[in-house]
Amino acid sequence: MSTAVGQRPALTWAVNLAVLLLVVIWTVPTFGILVSSLRDKDQLAVSGWWTALFPSEQSIAARTAPPAEAAREGANWVLRGNVFESGSGRISAFGTSIQRPSEFKPGEVAEMRGGGTATVEENGDYVVTYSEQPDDTRGERIFVTALEAPKFTLANYRTVLFSEGIGQSFINTLTVTIPATVIPILIAAYAAYALSWMQFPGRALLLAVVVGLLVVPLQMSLIPLLRLYNGVGIGKSYIGIWLAHTGFGLPLAIYLLRNYISGLPREIIESAKVDGASDFEIFRKIVLPLSFPALASFAIFQFLWVWNDLLVATVFLGNNEEQLVMTGRLRELLGSRGGNWEILTASAFVAIVVPIAVFFLLQRYLVRGLLAGSVKGG
Amino acid sequence: MAVSTTAGPSAAASDLGSLLTTALLTLFIMAAGIIVSVVFAVGAYALISLILPAYKLIGAVAVMVLGVAACFGYFWGSNRLLDTIYPASGANIGANVTKANAIRPWLFLGPAIVILSIYLVYPVFNSIWLSFHGPTGQGWVGTSNYEWLARDGGFRESMRNNLLWLIVVPAAATFFGLIAAALTDRISWGNIAKSLIFMPMAISFIGASVIWKFIYDYRAEGTDQIGALNAIVTTFGGAPQAWITVPFWNNFFLMVVLIWIQTGFAMVILSAALRGIPEETIEAAIIDGASPFQIFYKIKVPQIWGTIAVVWTTITILVLKVFDIVLAMTNGQWGSQVLANYMFDWMFRGLDFGRSSTIALVIMVLVVPIMIWNIREARKDMR
């Protein structure tokens, strides 16, 4: 195929550019979340993430040290300090009332309402001067418009992991995912072996049923199962969701594994039978080890699907601290912290980083599984 | 199941008798195996949670190990039991092996059949039953749920939107996937590009919704836009919009999320199909002087129609079930409701199991044609 293109350098360029464009469109949204989650939350709120590397103009409401701590200098009491709590920046204007936050230029002297005067220098140093000893314990408010240097921080991650409950939800998600990924595999593998290498009436019908069940919408199952769970006393519990994910994953598992296991060379299995091995032994000693790639493919699908699932978790798990999974938490944050992008971006990144890592590490098996047949998807 | 070659009424009766014996024995071994292994696993779990501190993750790992052990225990134990009842030795070895071989497949299939029946087959029938009943699942209401559905504005809006989704998303994802597959196969860094385009597959719908909601973020005109889309629009002199609240068009902004996720899937499948095209057909076209575009549209695409259909239907199924994206982005407000979210809404906020089962059945009915097509294709492959 490269021969057709190789002769046309212009076309090669166009192809490269087009692919580059696709890659950019498909990766930039995720990249934007990553960058944003690492930015200072005040900067994130007023400027796009693509400006993260440039200084940004910001309005800061700073508070001085308590006036009671003013030191005597000559006839006056003076407070000194810097409006920037961390980092540095350049002040372009300041004010002493919230209505006119940029009334004064740096270096000018502003009268304050409570008496005394204030000056802010370009580098953020402020000087507040009182003619009488002040006794206020609340600092004066100073409003500045500053050009602030870009700030990157892990503070957002600290916040979401420890005080927004994402850390707890991460553990809950893992608790759901580990058993729900592994348990269906063995059940499906035995069924797939029976459907591939054992003769019995109704085999074709069973296979057709499995293929049909592949596409049954989950929505069908929710209410009947919820009623069933409440009826037998499982209610909203981990055992309920493990079993539910096992059930919903089984058709795909059986289908994928059957496609693979029925493709194993007939001679191996028949010669084992001739040697007197039982079906049980053939499965355990020959088929299971040989099927590792298919088992891995399914495990990855099931892992991604369970980890990313919102619907099943919302229905079969409670909404409390002990049971809320990460997708559910993200959904809640979208409702309650809709405008706090520092919280949302950091939470989203925590939620997607594990599946993305699994994806990049085990992509080979994932692709192989996809190609092995149709797929339940997402 | 023992096959009888002799005809006659008495033979048929004994045939039926042995069939019944076989079936009952199968059920007995299966039940014994499942009960014993489940009791063993539950007991071991209770013991572990008694000894170990109650860390959830340890519990989860214990459940995983015990679950696998119970599965192995069931398969090993039930096989052992079968071999004890019909030993492959002694005087009746021939008859025993035949009988054991008739039962064994069902032991292998047992747990899968039980779980599939409870989790996927029974719900279909239960949903049909529920759709004729009232909000709590009690009290026969006849067809009133269906009559309500036929007149309901929310349902009509969901159907219209689902139809839009069904047309746009599979088409766009397949189209972009095909383009990406064709282009990445021609360049040296194609595999890296494929990986990156494929990556959104691993992101949850809800995570993707956060990502795209951030892109669609809206700030009042005059202030700096932090959403990428509004930033681009204002750079070119347009007025910023709260994209996901614009009726009708917001549907398309939600669809973009799913297209973004599914393009990678389409690309991977189609790329494999493109590579499977016989080289000779392409070489012949090159010799005949076809341009790369002609080769693509006239030689390659027609040869992979089957795969395109598979990709298309798979994404179609997914679209019918799309729920998380709408829930997270708009929750069905501003005219963006879809069936799956509408069903969820009636289940959790409307608390009406009858109506929401009826909506679920509508989704099921829409899936059925694809289900039948899939089964027919699968049977063709297996012959």
Side-chain angles (χ1 to χ4, degrees), chain A residues 187-224:
Chain A
I187 297 177
Y190 272 99
Y193 175 78
L195 289 172
S196 317
W197 294 105
M198 291 166 110
Q199 294 299 328
F200 59 95
R203 197 173 84 155
L205 180 72
L206 262 182
L207 261 174
V209 170
V210 169
V211 173
L213 290 180
L214 269 177
V215 297
V216 166
L218 266 185
Q219 277 80 6
M220 287 291 296
S221 297
L222 301 179
I223 294 174

Side-chain angles (χ1 to χ4, degrees), chain A residues 1 4-5 8 11 15-16 18-20 22-23 25-27 29-30 32-33 36 44-50 168 171-172 174-175 178-179 182-183 186-187 190-191 193-195 198-201 204 206-208 211-213 215-229 238 242-244 246-248 250-251 254 258 279-280 284 288 304 308 310-311 314-315 322 327 330-331 334 341 344 348 352 355-356 359-360 363 366-367 370-371 374-378, chain B residues 1 56-57 60-61 63-64 67-68 71-72 75-76 79 101 104-106 108-109 111-113 115-116 118-124 126-127 129-130 136-137 176 179-180 183-184 186-187 189 193 195-200 202-207 210-215 217 219 224-228 231 259-260 263 265 268-269 272 279 286 292-293 300 314 317-318 321 323-324 327-328 340 343-344 347-348 353 356-357 360-361 363-364 367 371 374-375 378-379 382:
Chain A
M1 268 166 269
V5 174
R8 299 165 181 244
L11 194 61
V15 167
N16 272 301
V19 174
L20 192 66
L22 278 174
V23 168
I25 294 174
W26 258 260
T27 50
T30 318
I33 286 281
S36 296
L44 168 60
V46 296
S47 61
W49 60 267
W50 50 91
Q168 178 65 41
I171 292 172
N172 294 349
L174 262 181
T175 308
I178 295 171
V182 177
I183 291 175
L186 206 58
I187 297 177
Y190 272 99
Y193 175 78
L195 289 172
M198 291 166 110
Q199 294 299 328
F200 59 95
L206 262 182
L207 261 174
V211 173
L213 290 180
V215 297
V216 166
L218 266 185
Q219 277 80 6
M220 287 291 296
S221 297
L222 301 179
I223 294 174
L225 289 177
L226 197 61
R227 283 162 49 90
L228 185 73
Y229 276 8
Y238 280 104
W242 289 327
L243 286 172
T246 302
F248 300 146
L250 261 188
I254 297 176
R258 199 213 85 99
D279 279 311
F280 185 66
R284 204 165 52 88
L288 210 53
L304 290 179
N308 288 337
L310 172 68
L311 186 57
T314 313
V315 175
E322 281 300 301
T327 47
L330 259 186
R331 180 206 159 197
L334 265 174
W341 282 110
L344 287 172
I352 66 178
I356 287 188
F359 170 85
F360 278 118
Q363 203 180 151
L366 189 71
V367 170
L370 272 182
L371 297 177
S374 69
V375 146
K376 183 164 68 170
Chain B
M1 271 137 249
K56 250 188 295 184
L57 279 182
V61 173
V63 165
M64 176 188 81
V68 172
C71 289
F72 254 124
F75 290 113
W76 180 81
N79 265 281
N101 278 347
R104 207 182 309 275
W106 299 103
F108 275 42
L109 287 163
I113 291 180
I115 292 176
L116 286 179
I118 297 176
Y119 281 88
L120 290 166
V121 180
Y122 155 75
V124 174
N126 193 236
S127 288
W129 184 83
L130 280 170
T136 56
F176 286 122
I179 300 284
L183 294 181
T184 49
R186 292 163 166 262
I187 55 175
W189 52 288
S195 263
L196 291 172
I197 295 174
F198 194 26
M199 181 201 63
I203 297 176
S204 58
F205 288 149
I206 199 96
V210 173
I211 289 173
W212 283 89
K213 211 170 178 183
F214 188 48
I215 289 179
D217 188 77
R219 294 291 156 107
D224 276 351
Q225 297 292 335
I226 69 168
I259 296 170
W260 180 70
T263 295
F265 161 75
V268 166
I269 307 267
E279 280 288 326
I286 293 172
F293 293 101
K300 288 184 176 176
T314 307
I317 299 271
L318 191 70
K321 298 190 286 184
F323 149 78
D324 320 38
L327 178 78
M343 182 256 161
F344 185 81
M347 179 177 169
F348 266 87
F353 283 0
S356 86
S357 292
L361 277 175
I363 304 177
M364 181 71 199
V367 169
M371 186 190 274
N374 273 356
I375 293 175
R379 296 188 73 130
M382 281 159 199

Side-chain angles (χ1 to χ4, degrees), chain A residues 218-282:
Chain A
L218 266 185
Q219 277 80 6
M220 287 291 296
S221 297
L222 301 179
I223 294 174
L225 289 177
L226 197 61
R227 283 162 49 90
L228 185 73
Y229 276 8
N230 289 334
V232 300
I234 294 180
K236 299 201 165 196
S237 64
Y238 280 104
I239 185 83
I241 197 167
W242 289 327
L243 286 172
H245 276 305
T246 302
F248 300 146
L250 261 188
L252 179 70
I254 297 176
Y255 183 67
L256 275 183
L257 294 180
R258 199 213 85 99
N259 278 354
Y260 191 87
I261 291 175
S262 66
L264 293 175
R266 178 169 287 273
E267 303 83 58
I268 298 182
I269 286 153
E270 305 224 306
S271 66
K273 273 190 181 159
V274 169
D275 289 347
S278 71
D279 279 311
F280 185 66
E281 284 165 339
I282 294 175

Side-chain angles (χ1 to χ4, degrees), chain A residues 308-330:
Chain A
N308 288 337
D309 159 77
L310 172 68
L311 186 57
V312 179
T314 313
V315 175
F316 294 116
L317 280 182
N319 207 10
N320 51 40
E321 196 64 17
E322 281 300 301
Q323 295 192 330
L324 194 57
V325 294
M326 246 180 323
T327 47
R329 180 81 67 175
L330 259 186

Side-chain angles (χ1 to χ4, degrees), chain B residues 273-290:
Chain B
L274 284 175
R275 285 184 185 181
I277 292 175
E279 280 288 326
E280 307 87 72
T281 57
I282 297 159
E283 275 161 22
I286 293 172
I287 291 165
D288 287 348

Side-chain angles (χ1 to χ4, degrees), chain A residues 22-101:
Chain A
L22 278 174
V23 168
V24 166
I25 294 174
W26 258 260
T27 50
V28 157
T30 318
F31 186 66
I33 286 281
L34 173 61
V35 171
S36 296
S37 68
L38 292 169
R39 292 183 73 199
D40 177 73
K41 69 175 186 200
D42 297 322
Q43 296 190 346
L44 168 60
V46 296
S47 61
W49 60 267
W50 50 91
T51 64
L53 290 176
F54 307 103
S56 63
E57 188 161 276
Q58 271 199 303
S59 302
I60 304 172
R63 205 176 267 286
T64 65
E69 290 173 13
R72 178 150 198 173
E73 286 184 19
N76 297 324
W77 279 264
V78 179
L79 274 176
R80 287 174 195 278
N82 193 294
V83 293
F84 296 111
E85 281 160 23
S86 59
S88 58
R90 279 159 40 87
I91 305 288
S92 58
F94 76 99
T96 55
S97 81
I98 193 155
Q99 285 84 14
R100 292 188 296 277

Side-chain angles (χ1 to χ4, degrees), chain B residues 43-225:
Chain B
Y45 183 67
L47 206 67
I48 288 176
S49 34
L50 215 70
I51 301 165
L52 282 175
Y55 287 122
K56 250 188 295 184
L57 279 182
I58 297 180
V61 173
V63 165
M64 176 188 81
V65 173
L66 285 172
V68 172
C71 289
F72 254 124
Y74 161 80
F75 290 113
W76 180 81
S78 60
N79 265 281
R80 197 62 196 273
L81 193 58
L82 184 64
D83 290 336
T84 318
I85 296 172
Y86 292 125
S89 61
N92 300 328
I93 178 161
N96 277 354
V97 167
T98 313
K99 281 177 186 165
N101 278 347
I103 294 180
R104 207 182 309 275
W106 299 103
L107 297 182
F108 275 42
L109 287 163
I113 291 180
V114 170
I115 292 176
L116 286 179
S117 307
I118 297 176
Y119 281 88
L120 290 166
V121 180
Y122 155 75
V124 174
F125 297 104
N126 193 236
S127 288
I128 297 174
W129 184 83
L130 280 170
S131 73
F132 293 105
H133 285 75
T136 56
Q138 271 137 14
W140 175 269
V141 296
T143 57
S144 75
N145 284 328
Y146 291 91
E147 284 159 27
W148 162 78
L149 205 62
R151 276 182 273 110
D152 185 54
F155 175 70
R156 228 166 296 155
E157 176 191 315
S158 310
M159 281 299 268
R160 183 203 68 181
N161 290 342
N162 260 97
L163 205 65
L164 279 178
W165 280 76
L166 281 179
I167 297 168
V168 175
V169 174
T174 313
F175 174 75
F176 286 122
L178 188 59
I179 300 284
L183 294 181
T184 49
D185 276 345
R186 292 163 166 262
I187 55 175
S188 51
W189 52 288
N191 280 335
I192 299 168
K194 261 189 206 151
S195 263
L196 291 172
I197 295 174
F198 194 26
M199 181 201 63
M201 249 323 251
I203 297 176
S204 58
F205 288 149
I206 199 96
S209 300
V210 173
I211 289 173
W212 283 89
K213 211 170 178 183
F214 188 48
I215 289 179
Y216 297 148
D217 188 77
Y218 165 74
R219 294 291 156 107
E221 198 163 358
T223 50
D224 276 351
Q225 297 292 335

